[in-house]
Amino acid sequence: LMSSHIHIFCKATNGFILSDVLRDFKKFTSKKIIQTIIDEPESRREWMLEYFQKACQHLKREQHYKVWQDGYHAEHIYSNLFIKQKIEYIHSNPVKDKIVDFP
């Protein structure tokens, strides 16, 4: 989990479609994130709610808050080497953004 995005390894099974799973994930987590910001004591509450409100001003449909960007960047996992490369990238990402010193 990064400050501006998230990396997820997932697979749609049992007739589910990946885009539907990700849509539902975003919908569920958006509601939980906004509700947590509202419910919990947080010094940046007003700033965060305003930020998420502004993020949906351009939308045609009625929406109060927008937490996630539209779309997703799915990549087909085709080998163990590919998985290893992605895991190394995910572990190095917070180091690159100077969130942590070591992966």
Side-chain angles (χ1 to χ4, degrees), residues 21-31 67-72:
V21 172
L22 293 173
R23 178 201 62 219
D24 294 347
F25 170 82
K26 287 179 173 184
K27 183 176 181 180
F28 178 82
T29 56
S30 292
K31 288 180 179 183
V67 174
W68 299 105
Q69 293 180 349
D70 293 331
Y72 60 97

Side-chain angles (χ1 to χ4, degrees), residues 48-87:
M48 287 189 288
L49 292 175
E50 184 178 320
Y51 181 86
F52 292 133
Q53 284 173 336
K54 286 181 179 178
C56 63
Q57 287 177 345
H58 70 283
L59 300 175
K60 293 178 182 176
R61 67 185 182 281
E62 177 72 22
Q63 188 172 333
H64 299 288
Y65 302 101
K66 183 170 180 58
V67 174
W68 299 105
Q69 293 180 349
D70 293 331
Y72 60 97
H73 306 287
E75 294 187 48
H76 180 73
I77 297 173
Y78 54 86
S79 71
N80 288 336
L81 177 60
F82 183 81
I83 292 171
K84 183 178 179 192
Q85 290 170 339
K86 294 302 173 189
I87 296 278

